[in-house]
Amino acid sequence: MNRCSDESDVADRGACEVPLIDERATARALAALPDEGGVRTLSDMYSALSDRTRLRILLALAAEELCVCDLAAITGVSPSAISHQLRLLRDRDLVTFERVGKRAVYRLADEHVAILLEQGLRHVEERS
Amino acid sequence: MNRCSDESDVADRGACEVPLIDERATARALAALPDEGGVRTLSDMYSALSDRTRLRILLALAAEELCVCDLAAITGVSPSAISHQLRLLRDRDLVTFERVGKRAVYRLADEHVAILLEQGLRHVEERS
DNA sequence: TGAACGTATGAACAGATGTTCAGATGAGAG
DNA sequence: CTCTCATCTGAACATCTGTTCATACGTTCA
């Protein structure tokens, strides 16, 4: 079903499931790909931004430090749901928080997050 | 359960479900938020990049024009699954394709996509 | 101390998502 | 024409994901 050329380590995880059309281009593309860990990290970062609620949380925090309650009001989502999402964003190191009395005041973890959001918004504008 | 100040249109979709702590900050953050359509578009873009298979497809296409078969070999995923994902990427205007005989040669839709990927990779590097 | 509040957490549920499978389409080779 | 190949498609399936609900925790204030 395939000529199974073992010269290039193309997708050697499953060993030759699919025939290659353009071996050269395939080899080059494969070489250009980040390692599996890098791809995973990148997709994890994007998936954190792929939900409307989380995205509005981050965009709001890009403008102001806010507590759970206010974020709930801004997004129109229950405080519980917000708390769950904030936990995910914390695990991804996208936000940090500080306890102030009974409140938990959240902010973006670092400047890179704000830059990332801004770049994303710019791309959306440019391709309309 | 809430004082329901109707001065600010905070989350008026559900009408006052949650009390506000810091009204000023909440109002400012809400004003800074893009409209619902913008948030939707942005999250859609990110969700297209949030899957490992799709991400590897795009990263591979950033290096080389490739057909479905070669993308299947590169990612180690079946041609059928690749085709499904390419359809999604086409619908999101992230890739285009050209028929060459029986093959379908895919490429990134425009330069913005390549830039977006590169920026994402850079962010992943910087925050390690 | 006790009540109210802001937040966190785990289980449960519904809806979304990615892959597989079987089958169809269209182009090129014999 | 017929067969093969590359690709596409829809249904089925299992898994993942986001919200809700009930509940628990820690802080503040009376």
Side-chain angles (χ1 to χ4, degrees):
Chain A
M1 197 189 190
N2 188 1
R3 43 198 188 299
C4 253
S5 53
D6 43 10
E7 52 181 349
S8 64
D9 57 344
V10 170
D12 49 6
R13 32 187 150 253
C16 278
E17 312 163 13
V18 166
L20 295 183
I21 303 300
D22 188 337
E23 292 193 36
R24 298 286 168 76
T26 301
R28 281 195 297 263
L30 195 61
L33 235 55
D35 59 272
E36 180 54 30
V39 174
R40 167 68 127 230
T41 307
L42 191 54
S43 70
D44 281 353
M45 183 185 78
Y46 284 133
S47 71
L49 304 171
S50 68
D51 175 71
R52 294 210 307 288
T53 299
R54 283 195 298 270
L55 200 48
R56 280 183 297 178
I57 288 174
L58 292 172
L59 290 167
L61 292 180
E64 291 286 336
E65 299 184 354
L66 293 162
C67 65
V68 176
C69 218
D70 289 343
L71 284 168
I74 290 171
T75 57
V77 175
S78 75
S80 176
I82 294 291
S83 187
H84 279 295
Q85 300 292 20
L86 283 171
R87 180 163 144 75
L88 191 151
L89 294 173
R90 254 159 36 212
D91 292 345
R92 297 270 210 284
D93 290 319
L94 292 172
V95 304
T96 55
F97 75 107
E98 179 192 3
R99 296 215 82 101
V100 179
K102 22 185 185 177
R103 299 196 309 144
V105 179
Y106 281 80
R107 62 178 67 93
L108 297 187
D110 57 58
E111 202 179 343
H112 291 299
V113 182
I115 296 173
L116 187 65
L117 291 169
E118 199 189 335
Q119 287 175 341
L121 283 169
R122 205 176 313 146
H123 280 287
V124 165
E125 285 176 15
E126 286 171 352
R127 50 200 334 272
S128 54
Chain B
M1 195 188 192
N2 187 2
R3 45 200 189 296
C4 251
S5 54
D6 43 10
E7 53 183 350
S8 64
D9 57 343
V10 170
D12 52 5
R13 31 187 150 256
C16 279
E17 313 161 13
V18 166
L20 294 184
I21 303 300
D22 187 337
E23 290 194 38
R24 298 286 168 78
T26 301
R28 282 194 297 263
L30 195 62
L33 235 55
D35 59 90
E36 180 54 30
V39 174
R40 167 67 128 230
T41 307
L42 191 54
S43 70
D44 280 352
M45 185 186 75
Y46 285 133
S47 71
L49 303 173
S50 68
D51 175 70
R52 295 210 305 290
T53 299
R54 283 194 298 271
L55 198 49
R56 281 183 296 179
I57 289 175
L58 292 172
L59 290 168
L61 293 179
E64 292 284 336
E65 297 183 356
L66 292 163
C67 65
V68 177
C69 218
D70 290 343
L71 284 168
I74 289 171
T75 57
V77 175
S78 75
S80 177
I82 293 290
S83 187
H84 278 295
Q85 300 292 23
L86 283 170
R87 181 163 143 76
L88 191 151
L89 292 173
R90 255 160 34 214
D91 291 346
R92 297 269 209 284
D93 289 318
L94 292 172
V95 305
T96 55
F97 76 108
E98 180 192 2
R99 296 216 82 101
V100 179
K102 21 183 186 178
R103 298 197 306 148
V105 179
Y106 282 81
R107 62 178 67 92
L108 297 186
D110 58 56
E111 203 179 342
H112 291 299
V113 182
I115 295 172
L116 187 65
L117 291 169
E118 198 188 336
Q119 287 174 341
L121 284 169
R122 204 177 312 147
H123 280 287
V124 165
E125 285 176 16
E126 286 170 355
R127 50 202 332 273
S128 57

